[in-house]
Amino acid sequence: MSRVRVHNLSVSLDGFAAGEGQELEAPFGHAGTRLVEWFLHTRAFNEMHGQAGGSSGVDDALAWTWKAGIGAEIMGRNKFGPQRGPWTDEEWKGWWGDNPPFHTPVFVLTHHPRPSLEMEGGTVFHFIDASPKEALRQAREAAGGLDVRIGGGPTTVRQFLAEDLVDHLHVAIVPIVLGRGERLWDGLEGMEQRFQIESVTTPSGTTHLTFSRP
Amino acid sequence: MSRVRVHNLSVSLDGFAAGEGQELEAPFGHAGTRLVEWFLHTRAFNEMHGQAGGSSGVDDALAWTWKAGIGAEIMGRNKFGPQRGPWTDEEWKGWWGDNPPFHTPVFVLTHHPRPSLEMEGGTVFHFIDASPKEALRQAREAAGGLDVRIGGGPTTVRQFLAEDLVDHLHVAIVPIVLGRGERLWDGLEGMEQRFQIESVTTPSGTTHLTFSRP
Ligand SMILES: NC(=O)c1ccc[n+]([C@@H]2O[C@H](COP(=O)([O-])OP(=O)(O)OC[C@H]3O[C@@H](n4cnc5c(N)ncnc54)[C@H](OP(=O)(O)O)[C@@H]3O)[C@@H](O)[C@H]2O)c1
Ligand SMILES: NC(=O)c1ccc[n+]([C@@H]2O[C@H](COP(=O)([O-])OP(=O)(O)OC[C@H]3O[C@@H](n4cnc5c(N)ncnc54)[C@H](OP(=O)(O)O)[C@@H]3O)[C@@H](O)[C@H]2O)c1
């Protein structure tokens, strides 16, 4: 059975996975790159973006697990871009240039659907207004038996966790107090009971937790 | 210079250090013992309560640092007991029996002062209505050059952190989503910048963070 997986989701000590004030010049809002610093340094991140180099330690090993066996991604509209409300600019094709790192169908959840976008390298963005269950049905169909990644942001991941649709969750806890933004854990009281949890702290100061369905 | 220290403060993934609904039968509210399970297993905890046995690994080593060099504690009134508002029962002498594990003066912050309580073994509870700075002045005077421990709960620790009065903070992150209760990190945006931070995950699944003033 194909699994539903979340990877490399960076969260602050106070539980925020996105800053306040996301905009074109600040994709992570006031968080800047503080939440994802550990990830930007890895070979996995560089490879994703067609670059060489980077660290190859434990952070990197965990970051790589993002890739293998994924046949489709589901993401929220706010991860796709900084626009809110009805699209004023359908020229926007995501943060990732002509050849995004996904290389699979990507289902973008939004209350404002628009035509699909076929990019280089196999990424196709589909914009759908759908419940988590329905989005997952479509993504599974597109994934051809492979796993489905829930790509974020927190608003999207939270919905899939709340409906118990996630089989594997990798969270990276970063020792900062972000203060404001989008909380990951709200409405998920007791969710740890559904998972086997492992954790490890790496020299970057990041604590990686994996939640796997037993 | 005597330092101000916080130890063994257990926090959930969503940032709660106390559950909701604290009462006589449930000192941690709906959290039960889930936040402090790692601590209850240690030799340090048992020794504190006049018992033998317990684990002697990394959790225990960190738990012990609670003890050395402390000359006074400051705690919140809700840590002292389950009563709220004006005291209806001055018979209440804390959760810890006739010989509490502190063995120093303990300043209990409250808007409802009452006469001091001299216990066995050197613990004296003083009930004071004071700002963090003033409470610290009194505790330092009583500590005779030794360090002052801020004993919790979260409402109290938060005040001392907000006023930048803490030199050393040891937090234990427990992989549970508590959902509700008293949050530790509120109002402390960016506080990590004032500290050197180290962290380690132990086999119990607990991640210990130490924040030390550089
Ligand atoms: N910490 C990390 O590792 C990480 C990972 C990924 C992203 N991020 C950051 O997270 C931020 C975005 O996260 P976010 O929580 O603000 O938003 P998000 O989850 O990316 O997107 C939320 C939006 O998607 C649409 N949507 C979500 N579920 C829907 C549904 N069931 N039906 C229809 N529409 C739905 C809604 O937009 P409309 O109603 O406007 O259509 C909603 O406001 C960005 O700053 C990004 O950089 C962080
Ligand atoms: N997670 C852990 O490791 C840990 C550690 C210790 C305790 N705890 C738990 O934490 C809970 C208690 O924490 P809490 O955050 O609810 O409360 P708390 O910090 O123990 O006490 C807060 C109360 O103390 C009084 N107070 C605090 N600051 C004051 C000031 N500056 N001036 C005058 N009075 C002041 C006020 O009471 P009044 O206005 O009513 O007088 C206030 O409501 C308990 O459940 C305890 O078991 C957990």
Side-chain angles (χ1 to χ4, degrees):
Chain A
M1 176 69 173
S2 98
R3 288 181 306 149
V4 177
R5 292 158 41 190
V6 179
H7 289 278
N8 301 334
L9 186 61
S10 300
V11 183
S12 65
L13 289 175
D14 45 347
F16 294 101
E20 208 175 68
Q22 302 157 28
E23 49 184 83
L24 191 56
E25 283 73 35
F28 294 96
H30 86 289
T33 57
R34 286 181 290 159
L35 278 174
V36 293
E37 212 59 64
W38 69 271
F39 180 49
L40 303 180
H41 290 149
T42 61
R43 291 183 82 82
F45 177 84
N46 283 331
E47 197 263 4
M48 250 179 230
H49 298 86
Q51 271 145 23
S55 71
S56 60
V58 179
D59 285 339
D60 184 55
L62 279 147
W64 273 109
T65 61
W66 179 87
K67 191 174 177 171
I70 295 288
E73 166 154 332
I74 298 171
M75 69 168 66
R77 184 266 176 96
N78 297 359
K79 172 173 167 181
F80 179 72
Q83 292 181 56
R84 300 292 180 267
W87 300 97
T88 51
D89 171 12
E90 288 203 8
E91 287 307 293
W92 178 262
K93 294 176 176 171
W95 298 102
W96 304 276
D98 295 331
N99 186 354
F102 308 105
H103 312 299
T104 67
V106 174
F107 294 83
V108 180
L109 291 175
T110 175
H111 295 101
H112 308 280
R114 50 180 266 197
S116 295
L117 279 174
E118 199 161 333
M119 311 294 289
E120 288 170 27
T123 299
V124 186
F125 292 111
H126 300 290
F127 300 85
I128 63 172
D129 184 352
S131 69
K133 269 205 189 69
E134 170 56 20
L136 188 53
R137 197 194 58 73
Q138 293 186 35
R140 277 217 156 104
E141 199 170 295
L146 294 178
D147 290 351
V148 174
R149 188 195 301 114
I150 311 298
T155 303
T156 296
V157 172
R158 213 165 45 211
Q159 289 178 58
F160 285 81
L161 285 170
E163 299 202 20
D164 196 15
L165 297 171
V166 175
D167 300 302
H168 178 88
L169 166 67
H170 162 214
V171 164
I173 299 191
V174 178
I176 63 173
V177 180
L178 204 53
R180 53 213 157 91
E182 210 50 59
R183 288 192 195 268
L184 176 61
W185 306 111
D186 278 11
L188 298 176
E189 179 177 338
M191 70 149 249
E192 72 281 357
Q193 291 159 26
R194 310 196 307 248
F195 295 96
Q196 264 165 356
I197 305 176
E198 290 188 23
S199 56
V200 67
T201 299
T202 62
S204 69
T206 310
T207 298
H208 298 275
L209 283 96
T210 55
F211 295 69
S212 318
R213 218 188 267 286
Chain B
M1 176 67 173
S2 98
R3 289 181 307 150
V4 177
R5 294 157 41 190
V6 178
H7 289 278
N8 301 335
L9 186 60
S10 300
V11 182
S12 66
L13 289 174
D14 45 348
F16 294 100
E20 209 174 68
Q22 302 157 26
E23 50 184 82
L24 190 58
E25 283 73 35
F28 294 96
H30 86 290
T33 57
R34 287 180 291 159
L35 279 174
V36 291
E37 212 57 66
W38 70 270
F39 181 48
L40 302 181
H41 290 148
T42 61
R43 290 182 81 83
F45 177 83
N46 282 332
E47 196 263 2
M48 250 179 232
H49 299 85
Q51 271 145 24
S55 70
S56 59
V58 179
D59 285 338
D60 183 55
L62 279 147
W64 275 108
T65 61
W66 178 88
K67 191 173 176 173
I70 295 288
E73 165 155 332
I74 297 171
M75 67 168 67
R77 184 266 176 96
N78 298 358
K79 172 173 167 181
F80 179 72
Q83 291 183 55
R84 301 291 181 266
W87 300 97
T88 52
D89 171 12
E90 288 204 7
E91 286 307 292
W92 178 261
K93 294 176 178 172
W95 298 102
W96 304 277
D98 295 331
N99 186 354
F102 308 106
H103 311 299
T104 67
V106 174
F107 293 83
V108 180
L109 292 174
T110 176
H111 295 101
H112 307 280
R114 48 179 266 198
S116 296
L117 277 175
E118 200 163 333
M119 311 295 288
E120 286 170 30
T123 299
V124 185
F125 291 111
H126 300 290
F127 299 84
I128 62 172
D129 183 352
S131 68
K133 269 204 190 71
E134 169 56 20
L136 188 53
R137 196 194 58 73
Q138 294 186 34
R140 276 217 157 104
E141 200 171 293
L146 294 178
D147 290 352
V148 173
R149 187 195 302 114
I150 311 298
T155 304
T156 296
V157 172
R158 214 166 46 212
Q159 290 178 57
F160 284 82
L161 285 170
E163 298 201 21
D164 197 15
L165 296 172
V166 175
D167 300 302
H168 178 88
L169 166 67
H170 163 213
V171 163
I173 300 191
V174 178
I176 64 174
V177 180
L178 203 53
R180 54 215 155 91
E182 210 50 58
R183 288 192 195 270
L184 176 62
W185 305 110
D186 278 11
L188 298 176
E189 179 176 339
M191 70 149 248
E192 71 280 358
Q193 292 159 28
R194 310 196 305 250
F195 294 97
Q196 264 165 357
I197 304 176
E198 290 189 24
S199 57
V200 67
T201 299
T202 61
S204 70
T206 309
T207 299
H208 298 274
L209 284 95
T210 54
F211 295 69
S212 319
R213 218 188 267 286

